[in-house]
Amino acid sequence: MQHYGDGGAKATQPSVPPPAGSPHQPPQPHAASWGGPAHPPQPHARPPAGPPHPGPPPGPAGPAGGAQHAELTGHVRLPPGGPVQVPAPGAPGAQLDGTRAAVAVLLIGPAGAGKTTVARYWAEHRAVPTAHISLDDVREWVRSGFADPQSGWNEHSEAQYRLARRTCGFAARNFLANGISCVLDDAVFPDWPVVGLGGWKRHVGPGLIPVVLLPGLDIVLERNAERSGNRRLSDEEVAGIHGRMAGWYSSGLPIIDNSRQDVAATAQMLDTAVARSLTSPPSW
């Protein structure tokens, strides 16, 4: 049986401390550049009078023959705002199959719910390419100057949280634009807009599927005790976060109680929740 790890996310408000090769070669005047065609010398062209002064590498023309758009990934143009399109009811079966549909899923829950562990497992075992994006991991990309929410929720920790969420949203849109599903995880609260669903909807798109993992308090306390470093919270903090998460019960979002389920069984329950959300999208 696979057990839950220690990579869960955390966040709270001020009353409960929140979460937290080869040597370089000079450019050749007529070498082909990445993203653009080669420009060989013309047979009778006069050589330049002075040393070459190469400009920016040429890029492929856009649909109207213009310059390449700034928001590009690979060879796929990202739409402005990057809304994620959810398959409409009545779409082909493969599109509505929670195990195969191209989706963006946001896994919500308190510290110790098993979000990161379940999200990673789910992404690894889907039948289609799927990426896992953890908000906590992205926040901790900041090394020097990291604003740890456990030391107090302030303008610096909030700014780093918003930046990490925006980075995750862009990554999700980027993956989806290239045909790769994704699952994100974050401790999102039903009563705190700063760490709420609105920001995720804005950065990922209206097709984002939120699913809540909400095991019992005794379970999250037990799992939190197995953590170390800045991802381990006090029992009081865990209890406060868990209590506020109860607000999701009246939200209409799908909720999974994984108190007695292992990771594989929880991932199957997530498949079911995603499939139901595809056929009947929740209002949020």
Side-chain angles (χ1 to χ4, degrees):
M1 175 183 296
Q2 181 169 350
H3 297 287
Y4 295 91
D6 62 353
K10 57 190 179 298
T12 62
Q13 65 180 359
S15 60
V16 180
S22 60
H24 175 69
Q25 298 295 326
Q28 301 301 315
H30 303 297
S33 60
W34 288 8
H39 295 278
Q42 300 299 318
H44 303 292
R46 177 180 297 177
H53 181 68
Q68 192 175 22
H69 193 278
E71 276 199 346
L72 285 181
T73 170
H75 300 288
V76 180
R77 186 181 299 274
L78 290 177
V84 183
Q85 299 300 320
V86 173
Q95 285 186 273
L96 297 178
D97 181 351
T99 65
R100 294 181 176 275
V103 293
V105 176
L106 175 62
L107 205 54
I108 299 167
K115 299 182 301 297
T116 300
T117 303
V118 171
R120 183 183 298 119
Y121 181 95
W122 189 74
E124 290 174 348
H125 291 80
R126 293 194 81 216
V128 294
T130 304
H132 169 222
I133 307 169
S134 174
L135 187 282
D136 267 3
D137 288 347
V138 175
R139 282 195 310 109
E140 292 174 359
W141 287 355
V142 178
R143 308 307 297 178
S144 176
F146 174 66
D148 188 350
Q150 291 192 66
S151 300
W153 185 259
N154 53 44
E155 61 179 330
H156 301 294
S157 54
E158 180 174 333
Q160 290 185 11
Y161 174 86
R162 291 181 186 272
L163 176 60
R165 183 173 59 190
R166 186 164 64 245
T167 301
C168 291
F170 175 79
R173 287 165 33 217
N174 199 347
F175 279 122
L176 288 163
N178 286 276
I180 299 176
S181 295
C182 59
V183 54
L184 309 102
D185 67 81
D186 183 22
V188 180
F189 291 93
D191 60 347
W192 190 20
V194 172
V195 186
L197 281 176
W200 284 109
K201 188 174 185 178
R202 180 168 63 255
H203 292 306
V204 180
L208 180 67
I209 300 175
V211 179
V212 181
L213 280 188
L214 196 53
L217 176 59
D218 58 329
I219 300 298
V220 297
L221 287 171
E222 178 183 327
R223 293 174 183 166
N224 177 70
E226 297 173 354
R227 296 179 174 180
S228 60
N230 65 358
R231 295 199 180 187
R232 179 171 180 172
L233 307 180
S234 69
D235 287 353
E236 292 76 13
E237 290 169 332
V238 172
I241 294 172
H242 186 273
R244 292 176 57 198
M245 288 285 175
W248 289 120
Y249 279 111
S250 59
S251 68
L253 297 185
I255 295 178
I256 297 174
D257 182 348
N258 59 328
S259 298
R260 306 302 174 201
Q261 309 294 331
D262 63 11
V263 177
T266 305
Q268 291 180 342
M269 297 169 74
L270 180 57
D271 277 332
T272 301
V274 169
R276 289 176 178 171
S277 294
L278 289 172
T279 55
S280 300
S283 298
W284 59 283

